[in-house]
Amino acid sequence: MTGWDHPATAERYERFNQRHARYRRANDVLVREAALVSGLRVLDFGAGTGRTASAALGRLGRHGSVVCVEPAAAMREAGQRRLRDSRVTWRGALPEEPEAFDRVLAGAVVWQLDPFRESIARLVGLLRHGGALAFDIPALYLGEPDEPGGGDDPLLLDLVARLAEGRPADREGSGLPRAAGARRFTPADVEAALRSADLQPRSWAFRQRLTQTAHARWLTIPVLTDGLLPGVAPVERDRRIARALALVDRKSFKWERWRGWTAWRP
Ligand SMILES: C[S@@+](CC[C@H](N)C(=O)[O-])C[C@H]1O[C@@H](n2cnc3c(N)ncnc32)[C@H](O)[C@@H]1O
């Protein structure tokens, strides 16, 4: 198992982001829907290598700031090297600063929170009144299937099936491996958790084109194939993914849908 706190995961996560816009697009929508404006104090939860923070900084002006919270040291260190901006500070755990932030952002992370409801309540405690918690999540992780795109493999199922080589893979219905620690929960569970934390949620959605090649490169981020290829070293996983990619239709793509919520604290 590699998990998030592994140099190969941090390195390949960044390599993927340099080549493909999946997380950049998601973060651009997230910061727009979070209604960021100049001067706000933002907490970026599950900051990874700082890609959500990068998107936020463009809207925060000279006097805004971002506290990046990332528990995996390998991801955090990669982020600290990549994102050099005096408005950004990094931490390995949540700060003890009740009601200190105008926004809490959580890009591509919340399905890994367990227990979900208690984790949300903890984040809400950091928000000022009038502030908001904003997060997004691939809709597939909420049990909502993606829309077919094009090509012979319009839901991008073939690559994972080949990697699994007939073994039952720990994966979501449409072929994406379940992220480490992921569990099934529904949009209704999300809404209920937000309302039980006394927030006023507004949900939003967007979709983006995910190509077979981008999907293959995404799978080279080792944490994503810990369930599918247990005990296989990251370099060998790269080889197997490249071999499988050569056998599937590279022109295929699917429409990947994301769901998001902006939940205001009255
Ligand atoms: C897909 S990355 C997203 C990073 C960044 N927000 C972005 O959009 O590029 C998910 C991140 O969530 C972090 N993470 C996983 N479980 C977490 C938890 N329970 N609390 C905080 N962060 C967590 C991982 O270490 C990883 O860096």
Side-chain angles (χ1 to χ4, degrees):
M1 298 293 272
T2 57
W4 284 104
D5 192 11
H6 192 289
T9 290
E11 189 258 325
R12 283 164 172 78
Y13 188 78
E14 263 314 296
R15 200 193 297 169
F16 175 79
N17 276 301
Q18 282 157 19
R19 288 179 173 178
H20 299 286
R22 180 178 187 255
Y23 291 105
R24 181 165 50 72
R25 286 198 200 106
N27 280 316
D28 284 347
V29 177
L30 175 65
V31 299
R32 188 188 71 212
E33 296 292 339
L36 297 187
V37 292
S38 194
L40 294 188
R41 186 160 190 239
V42 173
L43 186 134
D44 175 13
F45 179 73
T49 55
R51 296 273 166 184
T52 306
S54 291
L57 286 170
R59 294 173 179 261
L60 293 178
R62 279 179 36 222
H63 300 295
S65 62
V66 183
V67 175
C68 287
V69 176
E70 171 51 53
M75 295 293 280
R76 194 170 66 240
E77 284 157 17
Q80 283 169 318
R81 281 194 301 276
R82 193 189 70 76
L83 182 55
R84 295 182 185 275
D85 188 304
S86 58
R87 295 170 292 172
V88 178
T89 51
W90 287 82
R91 305 175 49 98
L94 287 175
E96 297 292 336
E97 287 184 72
E99 304 190 359
F101 293 91
D102 301 294
R103 300 286 186 277
V104 173
L105 304 178
V109 60
V110 297
W111 66 94
Q112 299 171 93
L113 301 181
D114 194 13
F116 181 68
R117 205 173 266 237
E118 287 77 353
S119 306
I120 292 292
R122 178 101 198 272
L123 295 177
V124 172
L126 297 166
L127 272 179
R128 287 194 181 120
H129 292 276
L133 165 66
F135 58 87
D136 60 11
I137 175 169
L140 198 54
Y141 296 174
L142 295 165
E144 296 180 341
D146 284 322
E147 283 170 56
D152 297 342
D153 179 21
L155 284 170
L156 305 186
L157 300 173
D158 289 352
L159 197 64
V160 169
R162 284 186 185 274
L163 289 172
E165 292 174 335
R167 282 175 292 115
D170 176 19
R171 60 193 166 107
E172 299 288 338
S174 292
L176 294 182
R178 195 172 295 186
R183 65 194 176 85
R184 276 207 179 279
F185 64 126
T186 66
D189 295 332
V190 173
E191 295 268 341
L194 295 173
R195 290 194 191 281
S196 80
D198 291 329
L199 297 176
Q200 293 170 350
R202 182 180 60 78
S203 85
W204 37 273
F206 63 96
R207 67 173 198 173
Q208 55 176 315
R209 200 179 144 111
L210 185 68
T211 66
Q212 187 83 274
T213 307
H215 179 225
R217 293 214 181 105
W218 180 73
L219 285 172
T220 67
I221 303 167
V223 67
L224 301 169
T225 52
D226 278 345
L228 196 59
L229 300 171
V232 180
V235 173
E236 174 58 16
R237 294 189 201 185
D238 289 350
R239 282 195 205 106
R240 291 193 196 181
I241 291 165
R243 278 204 301 270
L245 180 60
L247 298 172
V248 300
D249 177 29
R250 277 187 181 245
K251 292 202 178 72
S252 293
F253 70 95
K254 74 169 177 176
W255 290 110
E256 185 188 42
R257 190 154 175 271
W258 287 62
R259 298 283 307 259
W261 280 264
T262 302
W264 295 91
R265 185 173 189 195

